[in-house]
Amino acid sequence: GTFILIFFLPATVFYLLLMCKQDDPSLLNFPPPLPALESLWETRVFGVFLLWFFFQALLYLLPVGKVVEGLPLSSGRKLQYRINGFYAFVLTAAVIGTLLYFQFELHYLYDHFMQFAVSAAAFSMVLSIYLYIRSLKAPEEELAPGGNSGYFVYDFFTGHELNPRIGSFDLKYFCELRPGLIGWVVINLAMLLAEMKIHNQSMPSLAMILVNSFQLLYVVDALWNEEAVLTTMDITHDGFGFMLAFGDLVWVPFVYSLQAFYLVSHPIAISWPAAAAITVLNCIGYYIFRSANSQKNSFRRNPADPKLASLKFIPTATGKGLLVTGWWGFVRHPNYLGDIIMALAWSLPCGFNHILPYFYVIYFICLLVHREARDEHHCKQKYGLAWERYCQRVPYRIFPYIY
């Protein structure tokens, strides 16, 4: 299965991008016209991608922002992380703004979008090979619990080493929030400008403004609350292999921006009442997502915080507690519920002519249901009887009133 995914995931990205460029992007029109292979690669585009990646790496190394400790590893050691993702975003925005002021054509990104996706996929493969080779020399205690099966393909895909670092430069942590996530915002901006130029508009469409605004809020929120990512499964449990490298550098920027890319070739006119309703829906999803994640992160960091005194929890043999009030007493994964509501709000501005812009929300539901199953298995092993008591207190998993 993992061997097939190594080829299936890039093919899915390229298929989605090719379909968005078609006059009729119906999924029934399969396969889409394939471009010549030589047109998919351009050395200059690959150079621009490398420049972007290493520019973000340089910002990551800047001695600004606080340094915090992650959760304890299996050895008891805590790694240190510099929290400066929001500063990197602000500096990137300043650089992009300066380039636009001097008439830099960000339209280049739209014109060569497929070549950028190919460049990112090629880079993620090279990075994954490097990660696996270096992991062969890593001590046993530094290997990922799930990526230490002994099967080459599986370990290559899921990640053999938990926290690969070059000195203090944490490769997984850097890729998690920087080049792909900030790149997503830049891509959306490029699509907004491309829409205005192609359709001779003085202003972007309302649908494009909504998509850009909603997703900008999501990215800024992630970077502002960067410290919270240190308690996620990606950082604490999953190794850094092809799955996360491709996900961070290719899937996030090129699939999550699908709605904006779609709107360039297939503009949609939506009314102000419809826009207001979609905005309310996104705000509801964001509120659930942010308040649930903040509640969980605060409790994990300091359960004795007086601000959390009203929360009840079930103690476990590990010394940690399982919240049974607040959002985590409503459903077991309220952050996933908020995420799915936001995903729907991002797709609705694209109308209902085609299912293609709804790929993200469909995929996201599948991803989170699968991740929820992984969470259930992991928590059952980790917390034992305490987890069974928690499941009795909180029977609903992601959606309320759906067991």
Side-chain angles (χ1 to χ4, degrees):
T2 51
F3 180 77
I4 293 173
L5 282 174
I6 291 172
F7 299 96
F8 177 75
L9 291 174
T12 301
V13 174
F14 302 147
Y15 168 71
L16 292 170
L17 298 187
L18 286 172
M19 287 302 299
C20 271
K21 296 283 282 186
Q22 305 307 308
D23 292 335
D24 180 14
S26 171
L27 297 185
L28 298 177
N29 295 334
F30 182 85
L34 298 177
L37 287 178
E38 59 270 18
S39 70
L40 295 177
W41 180 262
E42 189 171 317
T43 304
R44 181 185 177 188
V45 170
F46 185 66
V48 173
F49 175 82
L50 289 180
L51 181 63
W52 169 258
F53 184 88
F54 289 111
F55 171 65
Q56 292 301 321
L58 178 64
L59 296 181
Y60 174 76
L61 291 171
L62 291 177
V64 295
K66 62 181 179 179
V67 176
V68 302
E69 289 185 335
L71 296 181
L73 302 175
S74 58
S75 62
R77 188 166 65 103
K78 293 183 179 180
L79 296 177
Q80 292 190 329
Y81 299 87
R82 183 172 291 280
I83 307 298
N84 63 4
F86 187 77
Y87 295 105
F89 176 80
V90 171
L91 289 172
T92 300
V95 170
I96 296 295
T98 302
L99 291 174
L100 291 175
Y101 177 80
F102 287 105
Q103 307 298 313
F104 178 81
E105 284 287 346
L106 205 59
H107 196 276
Y108 179 83
L109 182 54
Y110 172 76
D111 290 338
H112 298 84
F113 200 46
M114 181 63 76
Q115 289 96 327
F116 273 107
V118 171
S119 296
F123 182 83
S124 67
M125 176 58 74
V126 172
L127 176 61
S128 301
I129 293 171
Y130 162 75
L131 290 168
Y132 184 78
I133 292 174
R134 63 163 281 151
S135 71
L136 298 177
K137 296 182 179 179
E140 183 72 22
E141 64 271 14
E142 294 183 9
L143 300 181
N148 193 20
S149 68
Y151 294 99
F152 159 69
V153 175
Y154 184 82
D155 292 346
F156 171 82
F157 180 83
T158 58
H160 196 42
E161 189 175 357
L162 183 60
N163 298 293
R165 289 189 162 202
I166 301 174
S168 62
F169 191 99
D170 192 294
L171 292 165
K172 181 171 68 171
Y173 178 68
F174 165 70
C175 289
E176 186 82 8
L177 287 178
R178 308 304 179 93
L181 204 67
I182 298 176
W184 175 15
V185 173
V186 176
I187 288 171
N188 276 355
L189 176 61
M191 299 307 159
L192 182 148
L193 297 174
E195 180 198 51
M196 293 174 61
K197 182 174 182 178
I198 291 171
H199 300 289
N200 296 315
Q201 299 171 188
S202 59
M203 288 286 292
S205 67
L206 184 54
M208 183 67 82
I209 291 173
L210 289 179
V211 169
N212 267 258
S213 300
F214 294 163
Q215 296 181 352
L216 175 63
L217 171 65
Y218 187 83
V219 171
V220 170
D221 173 85
L223 295 170
W224 182 261
N225 296 284
E226 181 181 5
E227 188 175 345
V229 80
L230 299 178
T231 63
T232 62
M233 282 190 67
D234 284 359
I235 299 296
T236 62
H237 184 265
D238 294 338
F240 192 36
F242 180 83
M243 179 178 69
L244 283 181
F246 183 86
D248 292 340
L249 302 178
V250 185
W251 194 267
V252 168
F254 294 98
V255 173
Y256 288 18
S257 61
L258 197 65
Q259 291 94 349
F261 188 45
Y262 172 87
L263 287 172
V264 176
S265 301
H266 309 90
I268 299 293
I270 61 174
S271 66
W272 282 101
I278 296 170
T279 301
V280 170
L281 182 67
N282 187 76
C283 290
I284 292 172
Y286 174 74
Y287 175 73
I288 296 172
F289 169 81
R290 173 43 45 214
S291 54
N293 273 331
S294 296
Q295 204 172 71
K296 177 189 70 172
N297 187 57
S298 298
F299 185 76
R300 283 184 175 177
R301 288 286 181 185
N302 182 15
D305 189 337
K307 296 178 182 178
L308 307 175
S310 61
L311 297 179
K312 297 179 181 179
F313 62 91
I314 295 174
T316 71
T318 65
K320 296 182 179 179
L322 300 173
L323 288 171
V324 291
T325 56
W327 283 112
W328 300 89
F330 181 58
V331 290
R332 294 181 210 169
H333 300 278
N335 52 338
Y336 293 176
L337 174 62
D339 243 335
I340 290 170
I341 293 173
M342 284 190 291
L344 177 60
W346 299 352
S347 301
L348 288 173
C350 298
F352 303 101
N353 294 332
H354 298 283
I355 198 172
L356 188 64
Y358 290 85
F359 171 84
Y360 174 77
V361 65
I362 295 169
Y363 140 78
F364 210 53
I365 290 173
C366 296
L367 171 74
L368 293 182
V369 168
H370 175 262
R371 178 171 286 190
E372 187 272 340
R374 286 176 59 207
D375 290 346
E376 290 282 319
H377 177 73
H378 176 69
C379 291
K380 190 173 183 179
Q381 286 187 323
K382 186 175 182 180
Y383 301 121
L385 291 175
W387 182 252
E388 293 182 13
R389 289 176 57 203
Y390 172 71
C391 292
Q392 291 173 352
R393 289 283 298 273
V394 188
Y396 306 115
R397 295 185 170 185
I398 298 177
F399 302 104
Y401 309 112
I402 300 178
Y403 184 73

